[in-house]
Amino acid sequence: MSTVLQLSHFIDNAWVPAASGEQFEVYDPSTEQVIALAARGTAPDVDKAVEAARRAFPAWRDAKPRDRAALLFALANALRERAADFAHWEALNSGKPLARARREILGTARYFEFYAGAADKFYGDSIPLGGDYVDFTLREPLGVTAHIVPWNFPLNMIGRSVAPALAMGNTAVVKPAEQTPITALKLAELALELGFPAGVYNVVTGYGEEAGAPLSRHADIDGITFTGSVEVGRLIMKAAAEHIHSVVLELGGKSPIIVFEDADPAHAAAETAKAIYSNSGQVCSAGSRLLVHERLKDDVLEALVARSQTLRVGPALEDPDLGPLISREQFERVQGYVETGQQEGARVILGGTRPPERARGLFFSPTILDNVRPEMRVAQEEIFGPVLSVITFQDESEALKIANGVHYGLVAGVITNDLGRALRMARGLHAGQVFINEYFAGGEETPFGGYKQSGFGREKGWEALYNYTQVKNIAIRIR
Ligand code: NAI
Ligand code: MG
């Protein structure tokens, strides 16, 4: 048991045990073994972290933007230097394949770099009011920002929201998912080493209801960024209403990948496999509905099944194509959806449960459900596993109607060589991002977020800076 990590909160540049004195277990989903005991945060811990962030705010806000940027650049560089170590912990704790974990750590470094570059370039305006006035705007930080993060991209999502928040002069309190607290705390180690001022970056670990809820309800935060389920997103919005805090919500999806009859079936199959199997389907923007023209369906499915059968499912550190699902709860949820689909009349043409060579554990095979109709639950609800629902269409307008016929609207993929059709679809789709001919195209630079119940506010790119600033207009009468 000596290898079990002991984790504390990180508050005011200090390692702090839970006020309650309690801990909770953190697992390696590849083995279901306990790998860490973490501080079980509750309201008093959250209070302490918010107080530290509040105390740190004025000096951080008033620092020269280039000095804030220098620290963020240093953090980006340090993350790159230690990518192997961070990737090991991320893979171990989240079950994601090692090479993918490494890419996500490098992506996190890229967020810190991108937003470090923005720190001294996000200007206000000068507004012409005629000769008697000078008018300009200031972009001021909000203050203390709260970040409630899920387990599917543990460090990467911290980079996505904390980097722009800090760059703009806010301070941060992070509540990582209870499943995956390790890399949030490793980032704290780096920040401490690099000389970040006390209270700028704080981490409180714990369960959603015990640590996340008191953070979201806290009277002295100024904004909250949440990524996770729609159910909890609603609670966050209600909590924010109490004190009129600004909210950014990123709540998942049921995104379509739409394949037209002129597509190359091999290309369509490759893009679909990437869309649904990446991170074992535990991706908010997963392409979980294949909408395929009825004439191309057999060819695409043949290529997709062949490709899916070559994928290796296994422990994260062996760097497979698909790692395990995060938890037993998620495994049962995904398995339950496959059964629901069958009851609704869908046909399992591949997978459907654990791979035969893995009798135990949280591993789930690449799974394809054929004969899905748009109104079925497996075509409407987020499954969050490597389970693809296949639906056919006859023409463009039917494709668009099915694509938009869900409560979500996060992303959408379109595979066609017909430019006019691609652009008509892009205009018509209810989604915050549209990928044409390459699923997941884009990067840290491109704005990301949802239409409809997928949430609001945009993360990534320049756009995210608007979440973490407020505009003050100053009008001067010359006399
Ligand atoms: P969740 O929404 O319960 O958890 C996400 C984060 O919110 C975690 O840090 C959790 O501790 C926190 N949280 C939970 N309850 C809270 C509360 N009452 N107040 C404040 N914070 C709270 O998601 P969960 O249970 O892990 O997964 C359930 C489903 O949600 C998944 O199957 C998937 O469909 C969806 N999901 C979507 C994600 C996305 O990327 N958009 C990420 C994770 C889950
Ligand atoms: Mg939950």
Side-chain angles (χ1 to χ4, degrees), residues 119-156:
D120 56 356
K121 299 175 193 68
F122 195 51
Y123 307 132
D125 296 316
S126 164
I127 298 165
L129 291 180
D132 293 337
Y133 297 91
V134 171
D135 189 286
F136 62 97
T137 61
L138 293 178
R139 296 196 177 277
E140 297 188 331
L142 305 181
V144 176
T145 56
H147 306 255
I148 299 183
V149 182
W151 42 264
N152 51 343
F153 296 85
L155 191 68
N156 195 270

Side-chain angles (χ1 to χ4, degrees), residues 59-76:
W60 184 248
R61 172 195 62 204
D62 294 338
K64 283 200 167 65
R66 62 198 281 178
D67 293 341
R68 283 200 302 266
L71 279 171
L72 297 172
F73 276 126
L75 196 58

Side-chain angles (χ1 to χ4, degrees), residues 312-344:
R312 291 168 300 126
V313 184
L317 297 181
E318 292 176 16
D319 200 25
D321 298 301
L322 285 81
L325 300 181
I326 188 71
S327 63
R328 199 141 282 274
E329 185 189 348
Q330 284 301 121
F331 184 93
E332 276 157 19
R333 183 187 156 113
V334 173
Q335 183 73 74
Y337 269 114
V338 172
E339 281 148 29
T340 302
Q342 285 172 301
Q343 285 155 17
E344 291 178 307

Side-chain angles (χ1 to χ4, degrees), residues 7-9 16-25 37-43 45 204-207 210-211:
L7 304 175
S8 308
H9 302 312
V16 185
S20 66
E22 287 186 40
Q23 295 181 307
F24 65 97
E25 293 179 330
L37 292 170
R40 185 164 168 177
T42 53
D45 304 296
V204 175
T205 55
Y207 293 109
E210 295 177 1

Side-chain angles (χ1 to χ4, degrees), residues 148-153 157 160 175-179 206-217 224 226-233 235-236 250-253 282-285 326 329-330 333-334 382-384 408 410 454:
I148 299 183
V149 182
W151 42 264
N152 51 343
F153 296 85
M157 281 193 195
R160 186 168 93 180
K175 207 298 281 175
E178 54 271 30
Q179 296 87 348
Y207 293 109
E209 282 176 19
E210 295 177 1
L215 178 59
S216 67
R217 284 198 298 265
I224 182 158
F226 172 78
T227 304
S229 60
V230 175
E231 179 196 356
V232 176
L235 297 176
I236 299 286
E250 200 269 271
L251 305 178
Q282 303 169 118
V283 182
C284 40
S285 52
I326 188 71
E329 185 189 348
Q330 284 301 121
R333 183 187 156 113
V334 173
E382 185 173 57
I383 298 177
F384 233 58
Y408 290 109
L410 193 54
S454 290

Side-chain angles (χ1 to χ4, degrees), residues 34-323:
V34 174
I35 51 171
L37 292 170
R40 185 164 168 177
T42 53
D45 304 296
V46 169
D47 289 346
K48 222 172 166 172
V50 173
E51 282 161 24
R54 177 58 60 195
R55 275 195 306 278
F57 173 58
W60 184 248
R61 172 195 62 204
D62 294 338
K64 283 200 167 65
R66 62 198 281 178
D67 293 341
R68 283 200 302 266
L71 279 171
L72 297 172
F73 276 126
L75 196 58
N77 290 336
L79 269 173
R80 287 198 178 104
E81 277 162 23
R82 296 185 210 179
D85 182 46
F86 271 83
H88 168 85
W89 286 107
E90 196 78 315
L92 186 73
N93 190 190
S94 72
K96 66 179 71 242
L98 196 55
R100 155 168 286 278
R102 186 180 165 81
R103 285 198 300 278
E104 289 178 20
I105 301 303
L106 296 177
T108 310
R110 177 74 188 123
Y111 280 126
F112 281 102
E113 177 184 76
F114 182 90
Y115 292 112
D120 56 356
K121 299 175 193 68
F122 195 51
Y123 307 132
D125 296 316
S126 164
I127 298 165
L129 291 180
D132 293 337
Y133 297 91
V134 171
D135 189 286
F136 62 97
T137 61
L138 293 178
R139 296 196 177 277
E140 297 188 331
L142 305 181
V144 176
T145 56
H147 306 255
I148 299 183
V149 182
W151 42 264
N152 51 343
F153 296 85
L155 191 68
N156 195 270
M157 281 193 195
I158 289 176
R160 186 168 93 180
S161 67
V162 168
L166 297 192
M168 293 296 103
N170 302 276
T171 56
V173 178
V174 174
K175 207 298 281 175
E178 54 271 30
Q179 296 87 348
T180 53
I182 296 178
T183 46
L185 293 165
K186 289 191 64 70
L187 188 71
E189 271 173 31
L190 273 194
L192 189 59
E193 216 178 291
L194 295 170
F196 274 68
V200 167
Y201 173 74
N202 307 276
V203 181
V204 175
T205 55
Y207 293 109
E209 282 176 19
E210 295 177 1
L215 178 59
S216 67
R217 284 198 298 265
H218 204 289
D220 202 29
I221 61 169
D222 299 289
I224 182 158
T225 301
F226 172 78
T227 304
S229 60
V230 175
E231 179 196 356
V232 176
R234 270 194 198 99
L235 297 176
I236 299 286
M237 230 173 135
K238 283 183 189 155
E242 183 62 27
H243 305 288
I244 320 291
H245 296 149
S246 81
V247 188
V248 178
L249 296 178
E250 200 269 271
L251 305 178
K254 190 73 189 177
S255 300
I257 172 161
I258 307 164
V259 177
F260 283 97
E261 63 270 33
D262 68 304
D264 166 14
H267 173 237
E271 292 304 317
T272 305
K274 179 175 68 181
I276 187 59
Y277 303 139
S278 293
N279 213 37
S280 295
Q282 303 169 118
V283 182
C284 40
S285 52
S288 53
R289 293 184 293 153
L290 170 63
L291 273 45
V292 58
H293 191 277
E294 58 182 9
R295 274 212 308 276
L296 211 64
K297 176 183 159 184
D298 291 347
D299 290 350
V300 172
L301 281 191
E302 193 185 328
L304 180 61
V305 168
R307 176 174 273 271
S308 306
Q309 283 167 335
T310 67
L311 299 176
R312 291 168 300 126
V313 184
L317 297 181
E318 292 176 16
D319 200 25
D321 298 301
L322 285 81

